[in-house]
Amino acid sequence: ELILYNFLPDQLVNKSTCQGFCFNILCIGETGIGKSTLMDTLFNTNFENFESSHFEPQVKLRAQTYDLQESNVRLRLTVVNTVGFGDQMNKQESYQPVVDYIDRQFESYLQEELKIKRSLHNYHDSRVHACLYFISPSGHSLKSLDLVTMKKLDSKVNIIPVIAKADTISKSELHKFKIKIMSELVSNGVQIYQFPLDDETVAKVNTAMNGHLPFAVVGSTEEVCVGNKMVKARQYPWGVVQVENENHCDFVKLREMLICVNMEDLREQTHTRHYELYRRCKLEEMGFKDTDPECKPVSLQQTYEAKRQEFLVELQRREEEMRQMFVQRVKEKEAELKDAERELQSRFEQLKRLHADEKAALEEKRRLLEEDQSSFNKRRAAAQLLQAQSLTANGKKDKDRKK
Ligand SMILES: Nc1nc2c(ncn2[C@@H]2O[C@H](COP(=O)(O)OP(=O)(O)OP(=O)(O)O)[C@@H](O)[C@H]2O)c(=O)[nH]1
Ligand SMILES: [Mg+2]
């Protein structure tokens, strides 16, 4: 059975309660530090729990949403758990997914707000209202990952630091540890959530509770018989640690502050401080301004027109740049072609010269050959003549002899 301890209606007297509202808790802490157990103890239930290994390559965020009801108030509770937090070598790999998750929820709210047809009244608001940061009960000091992560988150979310498994550390040590943690947070400029003092009905209790931070918590869903009552507790050979006993730990203080007294303030701070900051940065990034350099107000229309003009000028500049580039390329190509043509022409001329030289040489050879041939012919004719003459001469001699 889910019990919200009958305090919710008090915080919502002026709200339309039947409509219900969302509350989103982010639990950051290393694997096995007791996140799921504490959530189960806080909401007196058994949420689905998946244990994670220490070997996750990167941090994942797992969100689970539950619809809770108390008298006439409906609460849509989302519990977001970091899976594998602190198991990476590189710190940034641990906190960046958390930062990104928070920003994504802001972004989707902003997108809804910017729609023409907004439906914020039935929008499922997933922005993180409270971040429980689980500190390991070492008794020494905060880890550098704790400081880095909280510093990255303190302008994005309401951080409530808790010392986990506070039953594993002695009371005197715990007292010193709390002081040490607070001084480390202050000296590193980490802004944690302060319970508000402006509403005088709760100012006194909130002042006292601010002095107990960080809350030392113990979680357990097991019930043990103490006196003649069943109470949530952790049982040890040396005794019983009662979760809801204020002498044993700060669990009740956390529950009071988170659910009973300040739930509405956490939601409000999320909207008016953290979301507002995100929205402002995002709109400025997009180029929207409320005033011009002379501090005169600028309307959305003017900003839009100015942006449009800026865009058109830029477009023209880019077009001109591209045209110039094109002309340049054409010129280059033309010059290249001219060069190639010249080259070809000169090779052609060279070949022509070579060819003419060869032709001349051949002509010369032919002329010599023809000369040779005609002198040969002449000599042959002369020889034939001689031969003929000698033949006739010989014939005469023969005749003369016969005679
Ligand atoms: N001593 C002590 N042990 C606790 C406490 N809370 C949880 N545990 C034990 O620590 C172990 C891990 O608790 P979980 O609640 O599953 O831790 P988790 O942070 O949700 O772990 P993952 O989701 O796996 O990262 C269980 O054996 C719990 O019984 C506590 O307050 N004190
Ligand atoms: Mg868990």
Side-chain angles (χ1 to χ4, degrees), residues 11-259:
Q11 297 174 63
L12 292 162
V13 272
N14 295 321
K15 297 230 164 183
S16 53
T17 48
C18 54
Q19 183 189 299
F21 64 99
C22 310
F23 192 68
N24 308 317
I25 302 177
L26 167 63
C27 295
I28 305 180
E30 55 198 59
T31 308
I33 202 167
K35 302 181 290 294
S36 304
T37 309
L38 189 75
M39 285 300 111
D40 283 351
T41 319
L42 264 179
F43 293 98
N44 203 25
T45 185
N46 225 324
F47 295 135
E48 292 162 72
N49 287 329
F50 310 90
E51 267 178 33
S52 34
S53 80
H54 278 283
F55 305 105
E56 298 287 342
Q58 64 208 47
V59 173
K60 277 181 274 177
L61 283 102
R62 190 188 291 131
Q64 288 163 293
T65 299
Y66 309 89
D67 279 310
L68 315 182
Q69 177 121 27
E70 184 177 274
S71 46
N72 62 342
V73 184
R74 280 203 309 113
L75 169 65
R76 195 154 214 223
L77 175 74
T78 298
V79 176
V80 188
N81 260 297
T82 53
V83 177
F85 184 81
D87 292 333
Q88 288 71 31
M89 298 291 276
N90 180 339
K91 287 187 203 74
Q92 188 173 353
E93 282 168 26
S94 278
Y95 70 69
Q96 197 58 47
V98 185
V99 172
D100 293 344
Y101 176 86
I102 295 173
D103 281 346
R104 267 203 308 283
Q105 314 319 310
F106 283 148
E107 183 61 29
S108 69
Y109 190 88
L110 179 62
Q111 288 306 319
E112 187 62 37
E113 254 193 345
L114 293 176
K115 277 187 190 166
I116 293 174
K117 272 193 186 169
R118 300 183 294 179
S119 49
L120 288 171
H121 58 285
N122 57 13
Y123 172 80
H124 179 206
D125 187 359
S126 58
R127 295 172 300 175
V128 177
H129 300 116
C131 164
L132 292 183
Y133 195 97
F134 290 70
I135 297 163
S136 163
S138 68
H140 307 302
S141 58
L142 288 170
K143 293 181 181 166
S144 72
L145 175 62
D146 297 334
L147 285 168
V148 172
T149 306
M150 284 194 259
K151 188 74 209 142
K152 289 279 170 196
L153 296 182
D154 69 356
S155 61
K156 294 178 180 294
V157 70
N158 299 312
I159 301 175
I160 302 175
V162 297
I163 298 170
K165 299 187 180 178
D167 53 328
T168 61
I169 176 171
S170 78
K171 241 189 164 156
S172 61
E173 264 187 305
L174 191 64
H175 184 67
K176 276 187 273 174
F177 192 33
K178 277 192 177 188
I179 293 169
K180 180 92 201 259
I181 290 170
M182 289 314 277
S183 84
E184 282 183 328
L185 290 175
V186 169
S187 63
N188 284 278
V190 177
Q191 275 275 297
I192 60 167
Y193 174 71
Q194 293 289 307
F195 302 119
L197 309 177
D198 42 6
D199 176 355
E200 48 192 63
T201 57
V202 291
K204 203 167 156 221
V205 63
N206 278 355
T207 309
M209 290 298 162
N210 280 328
H212 285 290
L213 287 171
F215 292 140
V217 294
V218 174
S220 174
T221 44
E222 247 171 78
E223 304 230 315
V224 174
C225 192
V226 175
N228 52 6
K229 268 202 318 200
M230 293 301 282
V231 295
K232 275 185 240 146
R234 297 191 80 86
Q235 202 160 16
Y236 293 102
W238 42 262
V240 171
V241 179
Q242 296 171 38
V243 169
E244 293 175 274
N245 184 331
E246 287 203 58
N247 291 320
H248 292 191
C249 72
D250 302 327
F251 174 84
V252 172
K253 294 189 180 75
L254 173 68
R255 187 173 68 192
E256 283 261 326
M257 289 293 100
L258 189 68
I259 304 173

Side-chain angles (χ1 to χ4, degrees), residues 291-308:
T291 54
D292 66 6
E294 285 122 51
C295 293
K296 286 202 209 94
V298 183
S299 73
L300 202 74
Q301 178 73 20
Q302 282 169 311
T303 308
Y304 171 75
E305 286 297 342
K307 276 269 143 200
R308 203 178 118 82

